[in-house]
């Protein structure tokens, strides 16, 4: 890990596609060389450029391979100062816990889509059989 320390002000100055720093778990990464290769698209990285991207990084549930790539981009660590945003409480390498029924809401959405598809198919077949009997 690089020994250089960056403040939020330092990091915020690197928020363009060709010069892009992000903070994840109080470590500063230069993501400039990875913007075009990012599987989620460049917009995702540009949205968090020059900022603390810990929450966004963990919410996606990145793979071990993604974490290894991130390790290769490290340029230093964040030096927190008074007035800086407070860090999210994620342990490095863990997923955040879902509040409420976040997982069941996703399953419910799939169930609704599936039921809607079945009903649409049934309606289509019914209307088709009605036209044939005329």
């Amino acid at each position: 890990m690089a020994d250089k320390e960056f403040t939020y002000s330092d990091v915020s100055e690197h928020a363009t596609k060709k010069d892009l720093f992000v903070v994840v778990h109080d470590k500063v990464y230069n993501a400039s060389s990875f913007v075009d290769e990012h599987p989620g698209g460049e917009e995702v990285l540009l949205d968090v450029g020059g900022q603390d991207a810990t929450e966004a990084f963990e919410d996606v549930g990145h793979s071990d391979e993604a974490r290894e790539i991130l390790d290769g981009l490290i340029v230093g660590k964040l030096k927190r100062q008074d007035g800086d945003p407070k860090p999210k409480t994620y342990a490095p390498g863990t997923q955040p816990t879902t509040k409420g029924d976040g997982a069941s809401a996703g399953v419910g959405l799939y169930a609704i889509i599936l039921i809607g598809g079945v009903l649409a198919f049934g309606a289509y077949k019914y209307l088709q059989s009605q036209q044939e009997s005329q």
Side-chain angles (χ1 to χ4, degrees):
M1 175 163 135
D3 291 332
K4 185 162 177 151
E5 288 189 332
F6 295 87
T7 63
Y8 265 114
S9 178
D10 296 333
V11 172
S12 69
E13 294 173 5
H14 303 272
T16 65
K17 182 176 178 179
K18 294 189 184 302
D19 182 23
L20 188 69
F21 282 17
V22 294
V23 175
V24 178
H25 296 296
D26 287 350
K27 295 177 184 169
V28 180
Y29 300 91
N30 183 345
S32 308
S33 63
F34 190 66
V35 173
D36 291 328
E37 299 170 33
H38 188 258
E42 68 182 44
E43 301 82 21
V44 176
L45 286 178
L46 293 173
D47 284 346
V48 295
Q51 304 173 48
D52 189 333
T54 303
E55 184 175 12
F57 183 83
E58 293 298 347
D59 283 350
V60 171
H62 283 90
S63 66
D64 290 340
E65 181 182 356
R67 292 174 190 281
E68 288 175 17
I69 291 169
L70 190 65
D71 286 344
L73 302 175
I74 193 162
V75 292
K77 61 184 175 180
L78 183 67
K79 180 180 181 183
R80 291 195 175 272
Q81 298 177 325
D82 290 341
D84 286 347
K86 298 293 180 214
K88 299 294 179 185
T89 54
Y90 293 131
T94 62
Q95 298 297 323
T97 55
T98 304
K99 294 180 182 173
D101 290 324
S104 62
V107 171
L109 180 61
Y110 285 120
I112 290 170
I113 291 170
L114 180 63
I115 291 170
V118 168
L119 289 174
F121 181 74
Y124 170 77
K125 285 298 203 179
Y126 173 76
L127 290 173
Q128 196 175 34
S129 68
Q130 292 296 316
Q131 284 181 343
E132 289 175 1
S133 64
Q134 288 180 357

